[in-house]
Amino acid sequence: DPKIWEKNGNYYAVIGGETEDKCGKVVYYRSRDLQEYTYCGVFADSDGSIGNMWECPNFVQIGNTDVLIISPKGLEKENGFSASFESGYMTGKMNYEEGMFSHASYKKLDHGFDFYAPQSFEDERGRRILIGWMGIPDADYTNPTEEAGWQHALTIPRELSVRDGKLIQEPIEELKQLRSEDKAVCTFC
């Protein structure tokens, strides 16, 4: 699941994967026409302590901060992770002339047990909106919806911002329209 963006007349694509020695990695490519791509190198990688594969990278600029969002697989509990799948981010700055993404350490994006492969987009108002997948494969639980013949869903949309080097997520304001004064009524069920 590559992420493509435009900067200074060039298109860039980040692609997640793993090294031969089972370490997560994101590489990137550059194109002028979205047809022919040139390999530029490693965007960010792990020594193996943050999973054996990095999936669904998402690279965005929020204000003056660049953010790389990844979904590591194969996380180990002995390294402090609560599940083998999760999503996280690194804030930093991309130097396009030198081809280097200098970034802070990895931070967990969501502390729930079922949030993976989030992707973001910019809406018509300029907000950066993030939506993740609730439906981790190989999870250590079963969904009650399986009996009804369906499984998995997307999370509520979240507006992203950066404050003091941290990625902040807030439910989009449109969700307020679903609220009700009657606490016993679910307006979206």
Side-chain angles (χ1 to χ4, degrees), residues 121-138:
F121 62 92
E122 189 173 282
D123 74 357
E124 68 280 351
R125 293 170 40 192
R127 299 180 300 176
R128 176 62 53 183
I129 308 296
L130 180 83
I131 300 176
W133 176 38
M134 296 187 315
I136 305 297
D138 307 324

Side-chain angles (χ1 to χ4, degrees), residues 4-5 10-12 30-37:
I4 299 173
W5 72 96
N10 288 303
Y11 296 95
Y12 295 88
R30 182 180 61 244
S31 174
R32 291 206 174 268
D33 60 7
L34 295 172
Q35 299 294 317
E36 304 267 334
Y37 286 85

Side-chain angles (χ1 to χ4, degrees), residues 13-14 17 19 49 52 62 65 88-89 93 104 107 112 115 118 120 125 140 142 146 170 186:
V14 285
T19 63
S49 62
N52 58 19
I62 301 173
T65 304
Y89 71 94
K93 195 68 180 161
K107 293 180 180 71
F115 181 86
S120 72
R125 293 170 40 192
D140 297 334
T142 58
E146 288 180 42
E170 299 173 288
C186 176

Side-chain angles (χ1 to χ4, degrees), residues 59-96:
F59 184 72
V60 298
Q61 185 175 40
I62 301 173
N64 292 325
T65 304
D66 293 325
V67 181
L68 176 64
I69 299 171
I70 58 171
S71 294
K73 271 178 73 173
L75 299 171
E76 302 291 336
K77 290 187 180 191
E78 56 265 16
N79 287 337
F81 297 101
S82 57
S84 62
F85 291 83
E86 75 173 38
S87 296
Y89 71 94
M90 295 171 244
T91 57
K93 195 68 180 161
M94 177 63 182
N95 183 325
Y96 287 92

